């Protein structure tokens, strides 16, 4: 678990605390959020989100309230040094510029402090709002990964692989 806290223009990224789990669970249950994630396992959606020990996860705070979460996984091999990110925001936080701010904040950390030259993200191809937010930060489409992920309804859907090179970061 990280002790690192990062500040953006409007958001603060801080380590997840046990008392955050109920709020993260509630956000992940919101229809505008849940539609993009797999159905939760027995432990719940927040536990699923935090289960991968290879990820570094933060809560996203705005105005001292938890409005979402963002995480990254790093490839540390010097020949492939890069990182992937993923995030979700509450319905009330969407469309307010908080997502791009959180993404910029984590990207700056990964580029400047982590020594990465490339970041990736792979939203559902139909998640237009998320794709728009990633483009605002400088992410570019690489290609469509066909039938990449099983959705909440059990059917396979396409995802859009996007990347951000350090020189494209805005």
């Amino acid at each position: 678990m990280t002790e690192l806290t990062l500040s953006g223009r409007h958001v603060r990224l801080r380590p997840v605390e046990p008392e955050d789990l109920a709020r993260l669970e509630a956000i992940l249950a919101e229809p505008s959020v849940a539609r993009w994630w797999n159905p939760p396992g027995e432990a719940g959606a927040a536990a699923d989100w935090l289960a991968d020990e290879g990820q570094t996860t933060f809560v996203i705070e705005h105005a001292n309230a938890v409005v979402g979460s963002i995480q990254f996984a790093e490839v540390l091999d010097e020949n492939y040094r890069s990182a992937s990110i993923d995030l979700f925001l509450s319905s009330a936080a969407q469309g307010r510029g908080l997502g791009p701010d959180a993404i910029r904040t984590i990207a700056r950390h990964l580029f400047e402090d982590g020594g990465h030259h490339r970041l990736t993200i792979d939203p559902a191809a139909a998640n237009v709002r998320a794709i728009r937010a990633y483009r605002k930060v400088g992410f570019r489409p690489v290609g469509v990964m066909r039938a990449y992920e099983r959705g909440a309804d059990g059917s396979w859907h396409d995802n859009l692989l996007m990347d951000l090179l350090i020189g494209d970061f805005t």
Side-chain angles (χ1 to χ4, degrees):
M1 184 162 134
T2 183
E3 296 300 319
L4 180 67
T5 298
L6 304 169
S7 295
R9 280 190 137 156
H10 306 289
V11 301
R12 183 171 84 119
L13 311 181
R14 65 158 175 82
V16 178
E17 300 292 337
E19 56 270 16
D20 299 321
L21 295 179
R23 176 65 180 137
L24 295 177
E25 192 72 37
I27 294 169
L28 284 162
E30 294 175 8
S32 71
V33 179
R35 71 179 289 204
W36 304 112
W37 299 95
N38 293 322
E42 284 186 35
D48 293 348
W49 173 253
L50 297 170
D52 189 344
E53 293 182 16
Q55 307 273 358
T56 301
T57 305
F58 300 88
V59 293
I60 302 169
E61 286 185 330
H62 173 69
N64 296 315
V66 173
V67 296
S69 184
I70 190 167
Q71 60 185 205
F72 65 84
E74 298 177 276
V75 175
L76 299 177
D77 181 318
E78 289 301 319
N79 295 314
Y80 298 94
R81 192 157 182 85
S82 62
S84 60
I85 65 172
D86 210 350
L87 73 146
F88 61 86
L89 285 176
S90 69
S91 300
Q94 295 172 17
R96 298 174 52 200
L98 302 179
D101 189 31
I103 297 162
R104 273 188 198 94
T105 302
I106 206 79
R108 186 175 306 106
H109 166 68
L110 291 167
F111 287 141
E112 294 176 3
D113 303 326
H116 296 290
H117 76 285
R118 180 176 178 265
L119 306 179
T120 60
I121 196 158
D122 59 0
N127 193 342
V128 175
R129 181 181 291 234
I131 292 167
R132 189 175 332 128
Y134 307 144
R135 284 182 183 266
K136 285 180 183 178
V137 181
F139 278 86
R140 295 182 182 183
V142 174
V144 174
M145 298 181 294
R146 300 179 310 136
Y148 177 74
E149 184 174 50
R150 190 184 310 270
D153 66 357
S155 68
W156 292 95
H157 63 260
D158 297 344
N159 284 45
L160 179 64
L161 178 61
M162 302 179 79
D163 71 4
L164 174 66
L165 302 179
I166 192 167
D168 298 332
F169 182 46
T170 59

